[in-house]
Amino acid sequence: MVNIGDVARAAGVSRSTASYALSGKRTISPAVRENVERAVRELGYTPNAGARALATSRTNVLALLGQFFDDEFAPAMLQYILGITNRARELGFDTLLVTEGDGVEALTRIATSRMVDGFVLLNVAEFDERLDPLRAAQQPGALVGLPGDATGIDTFDLDFDAAGRLMVERLHEMGHRELTLVSQPEHVVERGGAYVWRLADGARAKADEHGIRLNHVFGSSHQPQIGDDLNAVLDRYPQATGLLLNNEAAAAALPSVLAARGLSSPADISVIGRYSDEFARTFSLPFSAIDSAADLLGRRAVEQLVSRLRTAADASPHVIELIAPVIDDRGSIAAPPPRR
Amino acid sequence: MVNIGDVARAAGVSRSTASYALSGKRTISPAVRENVERAVRELGYTPNAGARALATSRTNVLALLGQFFDDEFAPAMLQYILGITNRARELGFDTLLVTEGDGVEALTRIATSRMVDGFVLLNVAEFDERLDPLRAAQQPGALVGLPGDATGIDTFDLDFDAAGRLMVERLHEMGHRELTLVSQPEHVVERGGAYVWRLADGARAKADEHGIRLNHVFGSSHQPQIGDDLNAVLDRYPQATGLLLNNEAAAAALPSVLAARGLSSPADISVIGRYSDEFARTFSLPFSAIDSAADLLGRRAVEQLVSRLRTAADASPHVIELIAPVIDDRGSIAAPPPRR
DNA sequence: CTGAAAGCGCTTACAG
DNA sequence: CTGAAAGCGCTTACAG
């Protein structure tokens, strides 16, 4: 394989001059620079990544630590992943995707072997075991998902509290008086999936403010159970005129359930979901929904991480950035039907 | 950061002895070995990945080159990715996920910088531009997806020809005489998505063999267009009693379409899809389907790649492994309804 | 069974 | 504006 010595020889300069000509870290005479660049082109030279990492203590690689649970909605994860890998590349970084079950072990292994310059953690839980090892690591990190204690780590998430409030507020404006919220499975809550209760608490607060009755149930993550769950909910709360879905599987299942019951939205029932726009487009879920902002959150996390890498690691204070919820209107919100 | 010199000093041996004690590449007296192991534990030593890569020319990292097209079904990709990353880790490798648009440029960059020991290419097309650079690279590769010319590269794919045959055969057994195949969008074909015509050709051959009439249409990749497409197909071929779906979006859209038309499967129409079992479970698509075998294909590709890394690169002949299609029976296949 | 030393391919003070 | 040399942290012949 061609190395910088080959380039230097071909250009008739020393290895250090070749290196400087490429990095631009000191002034090089135009003639020499051109010779070096030509040699690079002709020989097809690319620096050896391992050698460069050893010399500079920089790898230009970020680690992306995912967590994939059977009872959460895996397909949604891809949006975060693509946002992160694409933005990282734009900023000059490659991405190591880490999916092993033991995130603590993986993080420690990768941090101490200095394979990466920084970490992005996905699907962060209320008490996330990966956070202390991350704080102990030499490399900085950024979180997608708000933990109970984000001290010392840049954090990005959808503002789920505001999302819950917004859902209720919008339906209140249209005149609804009773709503039902379908959340992720209770397992997700037990595991520390704070976004579930943050949205529920926000919805509850706003409902109380307006004197709206809010029913709250946990739905399954897969069909056909979630279909049964939805039918049960509709049976149990017949007076509810609006459905809030913080559960992607519920959004995917609801069209069939409504059709089977001879109901349509928004004529019979208003619906607001919370899922990514890409997901809605792929399945064309006909429901207005708060965008998960998966792509945006992933990109923001990478941007912050890289900016921290390019300055002194702790130069700037750590941020918690909660994205304001936005409803993509797909026409499933209207006034409730006349009282039966 | 603690290095092998620190370990050696703490154990009272030379750096080479410490290294050999850890690698087991030569016999070490038990006492010395224990001293070294204790030092490693106490100091929390992990070898520096860059230094090791430089010394050994091995990174223990694989590159996973994805291609994500807007008109194919992105969520399905995650299954391949997870199969690959998980199996790689089991075999001692981490995975660099590469998603940038220009796969040729990415492959060349990563190969020449020696960031990885091998490549897995996803979504390989009939004339895939990444194959020649892969053949030119120092590192071996494995493909998921069968190209027109797989010379010199290990290749894994579902046997789509057999899948098309199996779909038709199964419906023929039940007495169907006219079927409609809904494929991916025509754009996918134009881009070289050979699996589309391989399945269609297989279905066509088997249909001809049995004197079955086979209609073939290309469906959209997103709703609501795919819903319209399905309605158009049902209007246009009213005599067809079986639907073959080589299009995930069609499978996701069909339940609503059937419900809206007052049809049910299999009573009114038999349906066979082709998608991953996980996808079916997440959405509980009620249709029998040939499993994409995404997880299995990803794992097999990694296993072959790693075994090639562990022997001489070209020691064994290259394989083309086509996974035999298997139908997951979900009860959507039955005899056609009595002639209207 | 163990150690001293060379070498992997870079970058970057140091010296001119 | 440029070069000779040290050093990053490993592994592995070479020598004993």
Side-chain angles (χ1 to χ4, degrees), chain A residues 4 27 49 67 73-74 79 81 84 148 184 190 299 325:
Chain A
I4 200 165
T27 43
Q67 307 218 84
F73 194 74
Q79 293 308 117
I81 294 174
I84 289 164
Q184 297 281 58
E190 288 159 8
R299 297 178 81 88

Side-chain angles (χ1 to χ4, degrees), chain A residues 1 44 46-51 53-54 59-61 68 70 73-75 77-79 81-82 85-86 89 94-100 108-115 138 221-224 249 252 255-256 259 278-279 281-285, chain B residues 1 44 46-51 53-54 59-61 68 70 73-75 77-79 81-82 85-86 89 94-100 108-115 138 221-224 249 252 255-256 259 278-279 281-285:
Chain A
M1 216 56 199
T46 312
N48 178 299
L54 184 57
T59 63
N60 295 313
V61 177
F68 300 87
D70 203 44
F73 194 74
M77 278 294 160
L78 191 62
Q79 293 308 117
I81 294 174
L82 291 179
T85 56
N86 288 332
R89 195 81 237 9
D94 285 295
T95 304
L96 202 69
L97 176 61
V98 185
T99 60
E100 57 194 288
T108 307
R109 173 175 63 81
I110 290 169
T112 56
S113 67
R114 324 223 63 139
M115 297 180 75
Q138 295 292 317
S221 57
H222 288 78
Q223 299 187 336
S256 294
E278 167 64 18
F279 182 63
R281 290 181 56 242
T282 302
F283 297 103
S284 193
L285 300 184
Chain B
M1 216 58 198
T46 312
N48 179 299
L54 184 56
T59 63
N60 295 314
V61 177
F68 300 88
D70 204 43
F73 194 74
M77 279 295 160
L78 192 61
Q79 293 307 117
I81 295 174
L82 291 179
T85 56
N86 288 332
R89 193 82 244 350
D94 285 294
T95 305
L96 203 69
L97 176 62
V98 185
T99 61
E100 57 193 288
T108 307
R109 173 175 62 81
I110 289 169
T112 56
S113 66
R114 324 224 62 141
M115 297 180 74
Q138 295 293 316
S221 56
H222 288 78
Q223 298 184 337
S256 294
E278 166 64 18
F279 182 63
R281 289 182 55 241
T282 302
F283 297 101
S284 193
L285 300 183

Side-chain angles (χ1 to χ4, degrees), chain B residues 34-70:
Chain B
E34 269 170 37
N35 278 342
V36 171
E37 281 167 359
R38 175 151 24 82
V40 165
R41 241 176 294 118
E42 284 171 3
L43 298 175
Y45 169 72
T46 312
N48 179 299
R52 174 173 277 181
L54 184 56
T56 62
S57 299
R58 290 286 190 177
T59 63
N60 295 314
V61 177
L62 304 179
L64 169 52
L65 298 201
Q67 306 217 85
F68 300 88
F69 298 109
D70 204 43

Side-chain angles (χ1 to χ4, degrees), chain A residues 171 174-179 237-243 262-271 332-340:
Chain A
L171 289 174
M174 303 301 294
H176 294 260
R177 306 294 305 147
E178 180 175 342
L179 308 172
Y237 302 113
Q239 302 299 318
T241 55
L243 226 39
L263 297 177
S264 73
S265 175
D268 302 302
I269 193 163
S270 288
V271 181
S332 67
I333 304 172
R339 287 301 265 239
R340 280 153 273 188

Side-chain angles (χ1 to χ4, degrees), chain A residues 117-268:
Chain A
D117 296 338
F119 291 89
V120 177
L121 271 57
L122 236 46
N123 212 350
V124 173
E126 179 74 5
F127 299 103
D128 198 304
E129 296 191 328
R130 301 172 297 177
L131 299 190
D132 279 336
L134 177 58
R135 291 188 180 99
Q138 295 292 317
Q139 302 93 335
L143 310 181
V144 177
L146 175 65
D149 176 12
T151 306
I153 315 180
D154 295 309
T155 301
F156 300 83
D157 204 355
L158 182 65
D159 189 339
F160 280 92
D161 181 79
R165 291 170 185 271
L166 178 58
M167 285 177 164
V168 172
E169 181 65 32
R170 185 59 63 89
L171 289 174
H172 168 256
E173 285 167 5
M174 303 301 294
H176 294 260
R177 306 294 305 147
E178 180 175 342
L179 308 172
T180 301
L181 166 63
V182 180
S183 288
Q184 297 281 58
E186 205 151 9
H187 276 137
V188 176
V189 173
E190 288 159 8
R191 204 169 50 225
Y195 67 98
V196 176
W197 68 75
R198 280 159 55 212
L199 188 144
D201 289 352
R204 170 73 57 203
K206 187 57 90 175
D208 287 351
E209 187 182 321
H210 290 309
I212 284 178
R213 176 160 178 177
L214 178 67
N215 315 303
H216 185 196
V217 301
F218 299 95
S220 304
S221 57
H222 288 78
Q223 299 187 336
Q225 293 86 344
I226 182 62
D228 298 341
D229 293 345
L230 289 170
N231 274 307
V233 160
L234 293 171
D235 290 340
R236 181 158 162 209
Y237 302 113
Q239 302 299 318
T241 55
L243 226 39
L244 316 179
L245 306 179
N246 190 19
N247 177 319
E248 289 97 337
L254 187 59
S256 294
V257 169
L258 292 181
R261 298 174 76 103
L263 297 177
S264 73
S265 175
D268 302 302

